[in-house]
Amino acid sequence: METLANLGDGFAVAFTAQNLFLALLGCFLGTLMGALPGLGPANGVAILIPIAFSLGLGPVASLILLTSVYYGAMYGGRISSILLNIPGDEPAMMTCLDGYPMALQGKAGEALSLSGVASFVGAFFATWGLVLLAPQLVKIALLFGPAEYFVLFTLAFATLGGISSTNQAKSAFAAALGLGIAMIGSDSQTGSQRFTFDHIHLFDGIDFLIAIVGLFAISEVFIFLEAHKGGAAAGSTAATKIGRIMPDFRELKRCIPTMGRSTVIGFLSGVLPGAGASLGSFLSYSMEKAVVDPDGKTFGKGDPRGVVAPEVGNNAASGGALVPMLALGVPGSGTTAVLLAVLLQLNITPGPLLFQKNPDVVWGLIAALFISNFMLLALNIPLVGLFTRVLLVPTRILMPVVAMVSFVGIYGITGSTFDVMLMVGFGLAGWVLRKLDVPLVPIILGILLGNEMEVNLRRALTVSDGDWSILVGSPLAIILWLIAITGFVLPMVLGRRVKRQMKAKREDLQDDTGPEQIGD
C-alpha cells in the first residue's frame, strides 16, 4: 500500500500542465529520433540534454522530458526496421525479420500499429516492474558498505559491454579511458592537481555533459557526414504506401501469449547489468520462434508474432534497465548511463537514498513514464504516416540542426568557448573510436563513476587500515565479484555466437526478400 501511495503522490507531481507538455514533446521528438537509422535512444537523449538544461527546467521536468525521449526512441526504432529493413537502432534489428516481409506484402500499416501496441505493452508492464522491484532492491542496497559499492561499480564496468559484445578487450580499454578522464582535475582528498598540465580550464575536471554530447551527438554528425556525402535522405527508399493502419483485432488477440512471454524475458534482460534491450529483443524473438514455430514455416516470412515479440522485449528491457539505475546508481544500459549523468548534473545521487531524499523526483518520474506510454500509444498509431516522413529528411538539413543544438546548448550551460572546443574534441575522438569499434558507453561510465569508485575504495581501505582483503570480506562482496567475473567472461564465450546468430538471421532475410522497395 505504501508503494501505491507513493505512486499516487508521483502522479500529483507529474500531472501539471508543464510536465504533461514536456512528456508529450519528449514522446514526439523521441519517436522522430528513433525512426532515423543510427541515432537511437542514447544519441537522442544526449542531443536533447543541452536543451533541457539551457531552458532551466527543474529536476523533475528535465527527467520527464529526457525519459520520454528514451521511451519514444525505443518506440520509433521499429519504423525504419519495418519500412526500410534498416534497424533504427540495434534492439530493433530483430523487428526487421518479420516486419519488412509484412511491409512487402502490403501490410506495413498493420505491422507498424501492431509493433506500436507491442511497444506499449512491454513498456507499460516493465514500468510496473520498476514500481514493484526498485523499492525492494533499495532495501538490499542499504546493506552496502564502501567495499561493496566499489565492487558494484566494478561489476558495472565488467558487464556493460553486454552479452552481445565480441571484444571485451576494447570494452576494458574504453572503461580505462573513461576512468583516466575522470581523474583529470583536483584530487578529492589532497586537493592536488592531476593531469591538468597547469591549464586553468581543467582544474575542476571535465564536465561529463560535454563528454556525453561530444561522444554521442557530435560523433554522430561526423558519422553521418561520412556515410551520406551526397546529402541523401536518412532513408532513401521509404515506403510511400502504408496501407491499413488499424491492426486486425483477431491477430492482436493471437499475439497476447507472445506479449506475456516477451515482457518477462525483456524485463529480466533489462534488469541484468549489461544485457540490455538488444539481448531482450533477441531472446524474445528466439524464444517465441521456438515455442510457436519450431519448423520455421511462418517466422521470417511476415508472421505478426515475429514483429510483436522483439518489440515487446526491447521496450520491456528499457523499463527494466531503469531499475538498477534508480535503486543502485548503476546503469543497466547505454541510455540509462546518459540519464545517470543527467541525475548527477542535477545534484541528485541515484541509489538507495534516492527514494528517501528525493521521493518527489523518483515517483514523479515513474508516474510520468506511465503517462508517456499512453501518449506514445496515442501518437504512434494515428500519426504513423507523419513519423515515416522523417525518413525522407536530407542529412544536409538534419545534421546541422543536431550540431547547432549541441553547440548552442553546451555554450548556454557553461558559457565557455573552451568547453565548446573540448566538446568538438570529444566528437572527433568518438568518431575515431567508433571507426575502431570501441564502445563509447564504458567511457561515459568511467567518467560518471570514476570519482565515486575512487572515493569508496579509499573509504574501504581507511576502514580496514590498508588491508585489501576487505574487498572480498563479506558474502555480498564475493557474490558481486562472481557476477562481475561471469559477466566479463561470458561475452567472450557466448557473445560472438549471439552476435553471429543475430546478423545471420537478418542476412538470410535480406537474401530472401532482396533490396526491392515496398510497392505503391
Side-chain angles (χ1 to χ4, degrees):
M1 291 302 295
E2 181 183 355
T3 299
L4 294 178
N6 289 330
L7 185 59
D9 294 338
F11 275 104
V13 172
F15 261 109
T16 65
Q18 181 193 43
N19 290 341
L20 290 174
F21 171 75
L22 290 172
L24 182 62
L25 179 64
C27 291
F28 183 79
L29 293 176
T31 305
L32 290 179
M33 291 182 176
L36 291 168
L39 275 184
N43 290 326
V45 173
I47 290 168
L48 290 180
I49 284 176
I51 293 180
F53 284 106
S54 60
L55 291 176
L57 301 175
V60 177
S62 298
L63 288 171
I64 286 175
L65 173 63
L66 296 174
T67 50
S68 297
V69 170
Y70 175 27
Y71 268 32
M74 295 303 296
Y75 271 67
R78 77 201 198 285
I79 295 175
S80 59
S81 297
I82 292 171
L83 297 182
L84 302 175
N85 200 25
I86 301 172
D89 52 13
E90 190 174 357
M93 182 184 295
M94 306 307 293
T95 308
C96 296
L97 301 182
D98 283 276
Y100 188 59
M102 284 187 71
L104 292 175
Q105 297 165 16
K107 299 179 180 178
E110 291 184 47
L112 288 167
S113 58
L114 266 176
S115 62
V117 174
S119 298
F120 169 79
V121 170
F124 179 77
F125 286 104
T127 307
W128 272 113
L130 171 63
V131 170
L132 299 174
L133 184 58
Q136 305 308 315
L137 196 58
V138 163
K139 296 177 182 178
I140 298 175
L142 290 173
L143 303 175
F144 284 34
E148 286 76 16
Y149 265 111
F150 173 81
V151 183
L152 181 66
F153 294 146
T154 304
L155 185 153
F157 285 111
T159 59
L160 203 57
I163 193 67
S164 60
S165 173
T166 56
N167 194 325
Q168 290 293 74
K170 290 182 178 179
S171 296
F173 167 77
L177 182 60
L179 289 172
I181 295 172
M183 294 178 67
I184 296 173
S186 301
D187 186 301
S188 59
Q189 183 169 336
T190 65
S192 59
Q193 299 299 320
R194 301 186 298 192
F195 307 114
T196 59
F197 307 103
D198 293 327
H199 199 298
I200 192 170
H201 289 98
L202 297 177
F203 281 9
D204 290 331
I206 292 178
D207 193 320
F208 39 72
L209 287 185
I210 295 171
I212 286 173
V213 175
L215 287 172
F216 284 100
I218 300 300
S219 70
E220 193 65 41
V221 173
F222 292 135
I223 292 291
F224 264 77
L225 290 176
E226 179 186 27
H228 302 271
K229 294 178 182 177
S236 57
T237 58
T240 57
K241 184 177 180 181
I242 301 300
R244 172 182 171 179
I245 292 179
M246 292 304 295
D248 186 327
F249 286 98
R250 288 176 297 178
E251 202 65 68
L252 197 58
K253 184 178 179 181
R254 193 162 70 103
C255 293
I256 290 176
T258 299
M259 294 179 183
R261 289 186 288 264
S262 299
T263 297
V264 175
I265 294 171
F267 181 72
L268 292 177
S269 298
V271 172
L272 294 174
S278 298
L279 185 66
S281 175
F282 173 73
L283 289 180
S284 296
Y285 184 90
S286 301
M287 176 66 72
E288 200 59 27
K289 183 178 183 298
V291 171
V292 304
D293 186 34
D295 299 326
K297 294 180 180 179
T298 60
F299 269 51
K301 301 175 183 177
D303 192 318
R305 293 168 295 184
V307 175
V308 167
E311 283 303 306
V312 173
N314 66 41
N315 281 275
S318 67
L322 290 170
V323 174
M325 187 200 79
L326 293 175
L328 301 176
V330 175
S333 67
T335 312
T336 52
V338 178
L339 291 173
L340 176 63
V342 175
L343 285 170
L344 295 175
Q345 184 70 18
L346 293 169
N347 294 320
I348 298 172
T349 304
L353 298 180
L354 175 64
F355 286 77
Q356 298 177 10
K357 290 185 175 180
N358 304 99
D360 57 327
V361 172
V362 66
W363 290 108
L365 171 61
I366 293 173
L369 293 177
F370 281 110
I371 296 170
S372 297
N373 275 320
F374 284 97
M375 287 180 172
L376 283 164
L377 183 64
L379 286 173
N380 271 263
I381 294 180
L383 297 182
V384 68
L386 173 63
F387 290 131
T388 59
R389 294 298 171 186
V390 74
L391 299 173
L392 302 176
V393 177
T395 53
R396 65 176 182 270
I397 296 175
L398 179 68
M399 288 301 110
V401 170
V402 172
M404 179 191 69
V405 169
S406 302
F407 279 98
V408 173
I410 289 297
Y411 186 78
I413 294 171
T414 65
S416 168
T417 54
F418 175 82
D419 288 338
V420 173
M421 291 187 291
L422 188 61
M423 177 188 69
V424 175
F426 272 107
L428 288 170
W431 174 66
V432 172
L433 291 170
R434 291 170 72 169
K435 297 282 287 183
L436 298 174
D437 290 327
V438 176
L440 301 181
V441 172
I443 300 176
I444 296 300
L445 197 64
I447 298 173
L448 291 176
L449 301 182
N451 288 329
E452 282 296 313
M453 196 173 182
E454 179 184 9
V455 167
N456 280 284
L457 177 61
R458 282 176 164 172
R459 286 175 180 169
L461 293 176
T462 300
V463 169
S464 67
D465 198 23
D467 185 0
W468 288 80
S469 65
I470 192 174
L471 299 180
V472 290
S474 68
L476 182 57
I478 294 172
I479 292 171
L480 292 174
W481 276 117
L482 291 175
I483 296 173
I485 294 170
T486 303
F488 187 78
V489 173
L490 198 61
M492 292 188 282
V493 179
L494 299 178
R496 193 174 299 276
R497 186 190 309 170
V498 171
K499 201 87 168 181
R500 187 168 58 245
Q501 288 176 353
M502 292 172 69
K503 290 184 177 180
K505 285 185 178 182
R506 185 158 176 261
E507 288 170 359
D508 289 343
L509 176 64
Q510 288 175 330
D511 292 339
D512 293 339
T513 58
E516 65 266 38
Q517 183 179 349
I518 303 169
D520 292 337

